[in-house]
Amino acid sequence: MNLLTGEYNNTIDDKGRLSFPVKLRTVINQNVLMVTKGLDRCLWLFTSDEWEAFQTKLMTNASMMKSKSLNVVRHFVAPAQPVEFDKNGRLSIPQSLRDYAGLKGECTILGMNKYMELWDSDLYGEYLKRTDDSFIAAASEAMGDILL
């Protein structure tokens, strides 16, 4: 599979249907995505292969006897749902996941290499502003040697 990249903006309608970018649909080349809660109030969207790899790693490292492990599994695995593209290339995002991510109106889709993030555009803008200073420090620490 080619890498999933790019930033796209589309509107989600009152029924939770979101037109998905043709470029990403072409790269995905599947009719179903797994959608689950991500971090920072966004949703994560995976192809079936990437979902299988992600949840296998997660479950391999999780213990049902440790509350922190259970919290992580409950956050990512329990709410995950397969969502199928309709004939118009739209995804119907389940209400519970729309509520978690605050999706209403304008949405931002981010290609993140092996998965995608779906944000309410206003919340994504707030996130970028809130994390700007910490991003600069993290990028400097993580990528300082790469960029020079």
Side-chain angles (χ1 to χ4, degrees):
M1 176 173 79
N2 293 326
L3 299 180
L4 299 164
T5 59
E7 181 174 321
Y8 309 87
N9 291 296
N10 278 327
T11 303
I12 194 166
D13 68 17
D14 293 337
K15 295 180 181 179
R17 297 176 301 198
L18 177 73
S19 291
F20 215 71
V22 173
K23 180 183 176 199
L24 290 177
R25 283 198 325 260
T26 302
V27 172
I28 293 166
N29 197 27
Q30 293 182 9
N31 202 36
V32 176
L33 293 176
M34 288 298 291
V35 181
T36 194
K37 293 177 180 178
L39 299 176
D40 301 308
R41 290 193 61 203
C42 73
L43 299 180
W44 288 349
L45 296 87
F46 293 89
T47 63
S48 57
D49 291 343
E50 291 300 331
W51 172 252
E52 187 61 33
F54 172 76
Q55 68 95 20
T56 297
K57 285 181 191 175
L58 189 64
M59 296 308 292
T60 299
N61 293 310
S63 168
M64 292 174 31
M65 303 310 270
K66 294 182 181 176
S67 63
K68 287 182 181 180
S69 290
L70 282 173
N71 285 342
V72 171
V73 171
R74 287 177 182 139
H75 182 86
F76 296 120
V77 177
Q81 298 183 48
V83 179
E84 190 172 351
F85 287 102
D86 68 13
K87 64 181 178 175
N88 296 315
R90 298 176 300 189
L91 289 176
S92 290
I93 307 299
Q95 184 68 51
S96 61
L97 294 174
R98 290 195 320 258
D99 291 345
Y100 168 79
L103 299 179
K104 57 193 176 325
E106 191 71 19
C107 294
T108 301
I109 303 165
L110 303 173
M112 302 291 290
N113 188 351
K114 293 184 177 186
Y115 72 100
M116 293 152 288
E117 291 184 346
L118 175 58
W119 290 80
D120 174 83
S121 292
D122 290 339
L123 292 177
Y124 182 58
E126 291 171 16
Y127 166 81
L128 290 175
K129 287 177 189 171
R130 187 176 66 250
T131 60
D132 190 49
D133 289 339
S134 62
F135 165 75
I136 292 168
S140 176
E141 181 180 323
M143 299 177 61
D145 293 338
I146 295 171
L147 297 176
L148 295 177

